[in-house]
Amino acid sequence: MDYIEREASLDPEEDEEEFDEEAGENADAANGKKKRAEDFDSSEEEDDEDDEEEALRVREGFIVDDEDEDDDEDGATVKVKRRKKRRRSHREEEEEDVLDEEDLDLVMENTGEGGRDNKSKFKRLKRGREEQRGRQESRGLNDIFSDDELDAPGDLDDDEREMYGGNNRRGDEFDDFIENDSSDDEDRRMGSGDERISRRRGAGRQVDPETLGLRAGAMNDMEDIFGLADYEDALVMADEAQEMEERTHDLQLKDVFEPSELQERLLTDEDNIIRNKDIPERFQLIRKPFENLEVSAEELHEEGTWIAHSLISKKRIDPDLEEPFIEAVRNVLRFLVVDNYEVPFISHQRKDYMIHAVKAPNRNFREGEPEYTLLSQRLIWEKDCWGILDLDLKFRAFLEKRNSFKKTYNALRNKMGIPQDPMVEERLKQSTMPDQIQDLTDYLHFQYHTQLKDLQASDSASRGHRRPGAGKTKFERIRLGRVYGLVRAFGITAEQFARNVEDSKKREFAEDPNRLPDVCADDYLDNDFPTSQNALLAAKQMLAEEIVTNPRMRNSLRVQWFTQAVIHVNVTEKGVKQIDEQHQYYEFKYLKEQGLPAIAGNPARYLKMLKAESDGLVELVFELQETNRLTRDLYEYITSENYSEIAEAWNRERKDVVDIALKKFAQIFTKSLRDELRTACEDEIANAINEAYGKRLDQAPYKSKHMEEGETPRVFAFSNGHGEFGRDAIVGVFTDEYGKAVYTLKVDDLRNDENRQKVSEAIRARNADVIGVSGFSVQTNRLYEDLIKLVEEHDLTLPDINNERQPIDVVFVNDEVARLYQHSDRAKTDHPDLAPLLRYCAALGRYMQSPMHEYAALGKDIVSIAFHPAQNLLSDERIMKSLESAMVDTVNLCGVNVNDAVRDPYKANLLPYVSGLGPRKKDQLIKSISATGGRLVTRDQLMGDFDKGLPQIFGPKVFENCASFLIISYDNPRDQEYLDSTRVHPEAYDLGRKMAADALDFDEEDVIHLTQTAGKGAVINKLINGNAYKLNELILEEYAEELERNFNQRKRATLETIRAELRESYEELRARYRLMSVDEIFTMLTGETKDTLDEGMVVAVKIRRVTDRYVSARLDCGIEGNVSAEEMPMEALNIKPSHYYHVGQTVQARIESLSRKTFYAELSLREEKIRQPRRAHLDALPHEWDDEREEKDKARLAITNQEQTRTARVIKHPLFKPFNSRQAEEFLAGRSRGDAVIRPSSNGPDHIAVTWKVGDGIYQHIDVLELDKANEFTVGKTLRVAGKYSYSDLDELIVNHVKNMARKIDELCNNGKFQAGSKEDVEKWLEKYCEANPKRSAYAFALDAKRPGYFLLLFKANLKSNLGCWHVKVVPNAYQLRDTSYPEVVTLCNGFKTMYMHLEARQKAGRSGGMR
């Protein structure tokens, strides 16, 4: 493919000769020079006048420049430019060897030969142009099969004959150009390199010595003297090697992979920019929307104050500490914005700037003792730093909005000549929120709408765009017309009214005209407003709009709305029916007057309200708590104080203005308040998720009593899966201290002595430190108890620190990671030979060894784990952001051994969370280290070592961020630095060496001598080898004061860190491994929480055993329950419980008591208790619940239910249920597709309804007409569906109608063209598919959730076409598409394609007919 980059071209206007791009030859070469000469038309002859200029451009690298442009267009790499430079130098050297054009022209003119033929010069240029055009444009069928283009094999054009024959008297300077630009086909035709060299020697410089005035043989003598032939040989061989390398390296990733694959693998051009830029990766991503925004020093100071006040309002800061707190915030902000330090670096390496220290004098100090005590208090924690980072992004958005407004305002002043607006000038200085800038923007657009249109028109004209339309808005017509005089007649302006409201005092007074409003309006009539009523209404609307757009007025009312607003919940008719007392939305079904503090205290409930509103179940109404009082106050501030008929009339009109304005204010503030509350509640949920995830991550590896600190436990993990006897065996996996699953076992149960012996021997032989247990059901608790007994009976013990034998611990293990891992692709790669349950146990073992590593290995799947009950109300992106910050904190607390991470992909999962890094820079780090030996010896190597030939991996900024968190094991004291294995940053290494020297009481000469003999780390090596206790003698306060005094550096906390790390490098700072609580174990094994299963609730239970004294039952979650005789109904006791109940029967029971530790419940079957289940706790005050509305709705529903009960029928059939449609859907929710319920119909006594499950959440209700009924209560002898399907009984209807349709749905759902998900999901899939394959069409089927029993056939003919959607109806044994039936999926697909092609053909024919 080398020739693509070295082709030359002419202007597109030139008539170019045909060129066969396959053979690389001229199509008309066989016709000789005569035909070629005829191909040049008059335009070429005109261009011959510029031949000298063209030749000069060729010599000066014009063709090479074309290559540069082509390379840019094709996305070629930078490496190509170096190749071009080498080729240019080769040509220049060859041109020095061969006389250039001007020299040859001069020689030929002096010898009388005349000018050279210029046509041959342009011939090769046109061939190159044709090659390029041939690749860019596909030829037509006539051209492809044209015989005129084909030459006989081996035919050469005239230029080639001249080159090969060597009989040309005048050498052509383009011979070398032709050789360099040869295509692959030409290379094959011209032979090997040796052949080309020989040809080059014979044809490279065909210059007649006589023409140059030289004697015969002079050229050969010159070659012998200067060795030109050998030099040319080397050039040719080098060019061939270079060309071969180019052919294999010019392909780019985007030529091989789809764009979606490149995005997934982080290999796009944008990813490469992020990877190579010396800024932390996370900063590049989150600041991308503001990459062109520059923050000045003044704006940074303003931002610091703004953020500090935002945090002070949330944190309880002592008034005496407010100034230090603001200063600390500014310091953190400077580190984030100016220094580009990530949060972990700031928290660990700049913590001194977040601590406020005060020297408290010692009252009773003695000589030799310190005069003061240092009292320090940390003002900002790591969590606060993340908050500052988020607020920085919000301030950037505000700053960008403000800058945009300033730009518009300045343009109006400078270009449109508007005067300085006092309102804008004043409010702009006071604006600190985006809403306030929006107020000014709305004011500007309303007040200067005409000027803004003119400004836009002038800008469009300057860019060559057409001037926009000159239509005026209603308010422009009022402002420019006579009616605006009537606005002034109201006697008070919007600004005066706003000042009264702002001051909450009437300082500006309205003045009344001397005539009534209607009479006064007659003076201001015009064509737009011809009557007094029209004019008066227009004037009121204008004044109301001026009030609404007044920034001062908006700011005053916004404060009231955001502090005094309340929310009412209006339940819709749909919500009344669907939300019962057991529904999750019942807690706010009749909520009213809910204040903002209550919303803030229960953020999940507000998000549920919004979700219920989007589902059409409720409607949220926002209003001010005391709307009437506010309205009265506004009336007072706008009306006059005169007492007359005229004054009262004008005051009525002014009050109308207030009413109009208040409606608009309500719309504005309702939307703003709704969005602000959503954001605040989502932030609260996200913070709770972050905290919950942080607790899970903040766990050190499990440590038993006999283990030393820092040791990794050997874990034997057991599980019995679902615990079904005879189906699920007990399996175990032993994971060694290196995290490898090295042994597995499997037994049927632990009740067998032989199996117990086998398990105990395996545990003892592997010397396990701990036994982990987990599973999917309550039966796992039995396995846990059996293992405890096994340990006791077989004396499985280990020595503790006092050398006393202690039983091996048996603990429950959190399995949320293991459940995701067992079926994942990663598990199949790690353990291809293990069954899923064994992989599950392997994951349990690794979780006990390091929870942090297991969570990190999940990647994006981490969002599948529930950390908060309302987590599903947040987007995955918002959840991922919250989880990532928690992982970043923990990973940087623990550090990452970089060499281990390079060798082990499992440990490399932590690298993206290291400060300064991310997934892209992590890949760069691993590849760079792997390419240079696979191991780092020192941290400095991250910056490169040119003396040792080590490339730079990271720039200075990324190195600063990540260096102290990348651990390099201290193995070789001579070549390594101990501090590289600590939390000490390289910038503080000199401090560490100085502290070590002072602790050892070494003077400068001792340090120099020891360093020269044993390396720069010798002093620290001597300290850590038995002398670390001497660090306690150092007085670090004096060190810190000296550093701050001499170098203006705060290092008190840093010095403490150095001392701690010199004692023990990267000491474990995480909390101990946290054992699961009873409630957590209960939820893990049952899936139930206190909100879903608790005492007093009524649940369905399945009877397992019946006696006259008690009944044993089991809940759906697996909990065992017992019903005593006292809790049975009297009917059962009267006829014996064994006759009243039977095994396998499902009944409703109320939970009287529940033991979450033993998974046991006491139940009641008494009807009076079941009818009174425990009501859900309502987090609302009495006046906040609309009891009256609830009672009315209950009474109305009761009447409706009674009417349905009176018409209900009882049919003797196993599938009959006395359900309505909603109850039938709830009953079928947990069942399989095709399952059905026969139920009464509301269409009359001669109808039956059949509800069957089509898919998850999709149910079809079939109306069955009964014919030939014997009486009202019997089933008709003929059952007809949809007027054309008839059946003799219900069984036949179910089998031949419902089951057949279910089978057809199964067939289509199992077809490769079916896509699961909603219509929107499938549409997105089609869009992405066509973007990746722009020339291909695509179609897919999806279940139609709105029309049960139908499929959506979604299709897209190509990338530019619109999405199409047809409906496919499922009928018994067939599919119907546009009234055509197809028995199979294959015929349906083929029928669709045929139908679509015919439809397209008809549409094209119609369009062409219309054009004629």
Side-chain angles (χ1 to χ4, degrees), residues 1006-1021:
D1006 296 333
V1007 172
I1008 294 174
H1009 174 73
L1010 193 58
T1011 302
Q1012 291 176 346
T1013 57
K1016 61 181 180 181
V1019 177
I1020 291 180
N1021 293 338

Side-chain angles (χ1 to χ4, degrees), residues 1087-1110:
E1088 305 285 357
T1089 65
K1090 287 188 176 181
D1091 293 331
T1092 61
L1093 189 71
D1094 204 355
E1095 296 175 356
M1097 290 185 176
V1098 175
V1099 296
V1101 299
K1102 189 173 184 179
I1103 295 177
R1104 303 185 64 211
R1105 186 181 181 188
V1106 181
T1107 70
D1108 293 338
R1109 294 182 294 108
Y1110 66 91

Side-chain angles (χ1 to χ4, degrees), residues 302-322:
E302 176 191 358
E303 180 181 357
T305 304
W306 180 80
I307 292 176
H309 286 297
S310 299
L311 294 176
I312 288 174
S313 63
K314 299 177 182 178
K315 296 170 64 75
R316 295 180 179 178
I317 302 295
D318 191 295
D320 296 336
L321 296 176
E322 283 191 6

Side-chain angles (χ1 to χ4, degrees), residues 2 51 124 136 355 424 477 555 656 658 678 769 818-819 959 968 975 981 1028 1087 1299 1409:
D2 205 25
D51 287 350
R124 181 59 182 174
Q136 294 175 352
I355 297 174
V424 174
R477 296 198 308 270
N555 190 63
D656 288 345
V658 170
R678 177 194 289 273
D769 297 315
R819 292 195 186 208
F959 173 80
I968 299 177
D975 298 330
S981 65
K1299 296 297 183 183

